[in-house]
Amino acid sequence: MRLAGAAVGAWLATLGCLGRSPALAGAVIAVSFIGVLIVLSGHRRFSAGVALILLGVVAAASGTGLRMWSLERSPMAGLARQHAAVTLDLVVSDDPRALTNGSVYGPAQVSLRGRVIEVTAHGRTLAVGGRVLVLAPAQSWARLLPSQRLTAGGRLAPARGGDLTVAVLMARGPPGRVGASAPLQRAADRLRAGLREACRDLPAKERGLLPGLVVGDTSRLDPGLAEAFRVTGLTHLVAVSGTNCAIVCGAVLLLARRLRAGRRTAAVLAGLALAGFVVLARPSPSVLRAAVMGALGLLALAIGRSRAAVPGLCAAVLLLVLINPDLARSAGFALSVLATAGLLVLAPGWRDALRRRRLPRGIAEALAVPAAAQVACAPVLAAVGGQVGIVAVPANLLAVPAVAPATLLGVAATLLSPVWPWGAAALARLAALPTAWLVAVAEHGARVRGGSLAWPSGALGGLLLAALLAAALAVGRSAAVRRATLCAGCVFAVVALPVGTAAPGWPPAGWVLVACDVGQGDALVLNAGPHAGVVVDAGPDPRSVDQCLRRLGVRRVPLLVITHLHVDHIGGLAGVLHGRSVAAVEVGPLHEPALAWAGVVRAAHSAGAALLRSSVGERRTVGGLRLQVLGPFAAFHGTRSDPNNSSVVLRVRAAGRTLLLAGDAEVQGQDALLAGGEDLRADVLKVPHHGSAFGDPRFVEQVHPAIALVSVGAGNPYGHPSLSVLARLRRMGVRTRRTDLDGDLAVAVRGGRLYLVTTGAHRTGHRSTGRAAARAPPPRSRATMAPCHPNYSPRFAWSPATRSCWCRGRWPRSFPQRGLRTPMPSSRSWQRRMSPLAGCRSCSARRCSEGAGLSSCATATRPARRPLRPFWRTLPTSPPI
């Protein structure tokens, strides 16, 4: 264990000195060296171990300090601080990675890392070294391979810090003088392309997962499935790790043993297989690190000498950290080291303990190995992801039987693809069977309620969990503690799990769309996979939309669509961004009001999200959702409400059903969609503009949905939703629900059938404007007045005291007495109280209920003991949205 102390000391020293001033490294070296002299002069029993730890610190601080010193004095760093325009001669060291799909600031971009050879700036060419991060257009940079040499022009910017990157290059245009890649890289690229071609006819999820299992190629992996793998602790399967290397080398060792080859021959064959696998998976630093860890784990399990493997692991960590200090900050490196350490230190003891309780060896190992790896990796996973996975151990246990067949068949299909494509496709179809099992395990495990617990993220959360796990392992040595823990686990399994599974929860199973009750505004969430959702609009209040997303368990937003820039759609933007990763924010073509547009730009930049512009015909696939932008074709100008008519209209295909999200499109926007000839039929319609009467009746008839969702606030002053719109939907047989009366509205698909589930307004926190307030009977009056004449235009006034609309004027003498049981009032001056549902929109001369007819006029009443107030005292205190 002395070498373990040296490795940990070197790791921590590198982590502390990386990205900081070289003076700090010098201070650490001086203090550690003085400590070595003091410890060695004492001649105590532990002196050698402590001295070895301090020497590891000295070595790591020296190497990192020298690198930071050369980084600060590099000409590239000075040019980056000046934001100079340069031309770089560099060698690509890693694959390009996609950053955006297109932005209002430019086309789609990729990032790649390279090693600088020469830099030309201000007419001078300098031979320099160092690593550079390149941000470049995807069109001409996405197909580059590692080891290719090229020239790139652009403008430098300072690096963010924290690693050994000397500068960031904002490339302009395509690369120049692109050289050929190394033969090994070209061979690896052909093999990877052959595997993708062999998987072409597989189902979508298996087609994207199998290349990830074999060579770590996740370019076609479904985002929803990737999130399910992350939640269930199976992410290590789609990243090249020691597991992949151990499977390949273990298969070669087993075959060599069956052929009765000697130990040395088998070791040579396994080494060749490991080298070939490294070439296949691209010899990047992460793949080399995974190969080293996998080889060590395989060696420990093959020769049964865990005591010899622990010093080997520590030596590998020490060398890798000294050679490449950037690995000290890599979460993947930490997970590989901790998982291997758990397999070598914890798993053998747990396996032997299970065998002493008469469990078969295979079952004991199957239980001990994933449990040990999960316990060892839990602190890092909690620090990175902010959660503790409970379902990870059973998910890994269920996944174990399928990993080896899928990997080996995939490797065979990859090697066979250049010479026999048909045979490679047949092997890929066989590999799709265990791959489908992995998909089922991940998706079902991600849907388990309580499968992961929220935990503080960051270094503090990781250290806290590590301390708790260490205390639990220490206390777990007691037999009484183990018995109590076993009893508690049995009670949980027998009582809590069945109750939690049988009890209805939120969100409902199979949900595809939820309309959040956020008051007078829109906030829609589309299910994009476990803990992921596409959000359409953010409502008026950050707290309300944040609570809705928390109820749905959404932690990742791959896409946030802002239909238009009214405050009831962007006011809660901070609530969507709070505590969640948002990949992209998409807006419509009209950037008005300007102040709201500036706020959206600032929020997107602060969250690190790409800012995208929607365009008609745009199609996206996000976590099983297929989204298509239907409108607007261009920004509207000169209409009653340009932002409303310029709302983004989305058609979504999810779980075999079609959903139409119409934003706040009014008459002109709806007419443009009808004139465009697009098929508007949908199973679910988000009623445009909160059910306003400013719409074209043909639009709803063309959509003809089975379910209509009205996102509206209770007691709103705008008369939403219009009774004429509700009556039209009712005549069409559409099942209609409103957020002001029913709370959150969820559309679910189970067994191919549509379901509509609501929470009830009392659960959303809007008690003052919930179900009871919306269904309260009108106040009693002395006399019931007749409804407004459809051809008569009285004056309207909004009363803040009663939160209702009053129309004031004189009765016409020719007013028809249509079946009235009460006589006309004797007074010719009258005042009429309108229900909020009657459609009064503002204090202007407009027909009752916007000319919708007698059917939508509410009963006019004269409240008891309420004096008439002058018209100018009942004007609204603020303009409507």
Side-chain angles (χ1 to χ4, degrees), residues 92-98 108-113 136-150 173-175 178-182 185-197 217 219-220 282:
V92 180
S93 58
D94 205 352
D95 292 311
R97 300 183 181 183
Q109 287 189 326
V110 296
S111 68
L112 70 157
R113 296 187 177 273
Q139 184 176 2
S140 53
W141 290 73
R143 294 297 301 165
L144 293 176
L145 298 177
S147 75
Q148 284 187 287
R149 184 169 177 174
L150 53 89
V178 180
S181 59
Q185 294 290 354
R186 291 198 298 271
D189 187 63
R190 284 196 296 269
L191 290 175
R192 292 159 70 96
L195 178 59
R196 289 193 295 268
E197 181 65 22
D217 183 5
S219 58
R220 298 184 179 181
R282 299 279 177 87

Side-chain angles (χ1 to χ4, degrees), residues 253 257 261-268 303:
L253 286 175
R257 187 169 296 180
R263 178 175 296 179
R264 293 183 178 178
T265 304
V268 171
I303 66 177

Side-chain angles (χ1 to χ4, degrees), residues 380-456:
V380 176
L381 293 174
V384 174
Q387 63 181 9
V388 177
I390 299 177
V391 76
V393 173
N396 278 274
L397 183 62
L398 293 173
V400 164
V403 175
T407 302
L408 293 177
L409 288 172
V411 170
T414 305
L415 298 177
L416 199 60
S417 60
V419 296
W420 192 16
W422 186 88
L427 289 176
R429 283 192 289 271
L430 289 177
L433 298 177
T435 305
W437 170 254
L438 294 175
V439 171
V441 169
E443 291 183 339
H444 285 82
R447 286 196 289 265
V448 173
R449 294 171 187 163
S452 59
L453 300 178
W455 194 265

Side-chain angles (χ1 to χ4, degrees), residues 219-575:
S219 58
R220 298 184 179 181
L221 184 62
D222 181 77
L225 184 59
E227 179 66 15
F229 269 69
R230 188 189 67 82
V231 171
T232 53
L234 299 175
T235 307
H236 61 91
L237 299 180
V238 293
V240 177
S241 63
T243 303
N244 306 72
C245 300
I247 289 174
V248 173
C249 296
V252 174
L253 286 175
L254 181 61
L255 181 61
R257 187 169 296 180
R258 291 292 183 183
L259 296 176
R260 298 183 179 181
R263 178 175 296 179
R264 293 183 178 178
T265 304
V268 171
L269 292 175
L272 292 176
L274 181 60
F277 184 76
V278 169
V279 172
L280 178 64
R282 299 279 177 87
S284 62
S286 61
V287 175
L288 293 175
R289 178 259 307 160
V292 172
M293 299 304 169
L296 288 172
L298 177 63
L299 181 63
L301 296 177
I303 66 177
R305 297 183 61 187
S306 58
R307 293 183 179 179
V310 171
L313 172 64
C314 297
V317 171
L318 184 60
L319 291 176
L320 287 173
V321 169
L322 293 178
I323 294 173
N324 188 3
D326 280 342
L327 292 177
R329 284 180 174 257
S330 172
F333 178 76
L335 291 174
S336 292
V337 173
L338 292 175
T340 307
L343 296 179
L344 298 178
V345 177
L346 299 177
W350 293 1
R351 177 200 59 199
D352 296 341
L354 293 174
R355 291 195 64 192
R356 287 195 296 269
R357 284 156 179 80
R358 299 180 182 180
L359 279 180
R361 181 183 180 89
I363 296 179
E365 288 186 350
L367 291 174
V369 167
Q374 184 64 26
V375 168
C377 296
V380 176
L381 293 174
V384 174
Q387 63 181 9
V388 177
I390 299 177
V391 76
V393 173
N396 278 274
L397 183 62
L398 293 173
V400 164
V403 175
T407 302
L408 293 177
L409 288 172
V411 170
T414 305
L415 298 177
L416 199 60
S417 60
V419 296
W420 192 16
W422 186 88
L427 289 176
R429 283 192 289 271
L430 289 177
L433 298 177
T435 305
W437 170 254
L438 294 175
V439 171
V441 169
E443 291 183 339
H444 285 82
R447 286 196 289 265
V448 173
R449 294 171 187 163
S452 59
L453 300 178
W455 194 265
S457 60
L460 183 60
L463 292 176
L464 177 60
L465 183 59
L468 292 178
L469 290 175
L473 292 175
V475 175
R477 293 178 175 272
S478 171
V481 173
R482 290 198 300 269
R483 293 192 193 99
T485 305
L486 181 61
C487 291
C490 291
V491 170
F492 178 78
V494 173
V495 178
L497 285 181
V499 170
T501 303
W506 188 261
W511 72 279
V512 294
L513 170 67
V514 169
C516 300
D517 181 14
V518 293
Q520 180 65 15
D522 274 3
L524 311 175
V525 186
L526 295 161
N527 188 358
H531 304 292
V534 173
V535 179
V536 181
D537 290 324
D541 176 39
R543 182 173 176 270
S544 299
V545 68
D546 182 40
Q547 289 180 345
C548 179
L549 293 175
R550 287 180 183 275
R551 289 193 294 269
L552 297 174
V554 173
R555 304 191 189 106
R556 185 174 61 87
V557 180
L559 180 65
L560 168 61
V561 180
I562 302 296
T563 59
H564 63 293
L565 300 180
H566 275 168
V567 69
D568 57 334
H569 294 252
I570 66 170
L573 187 57

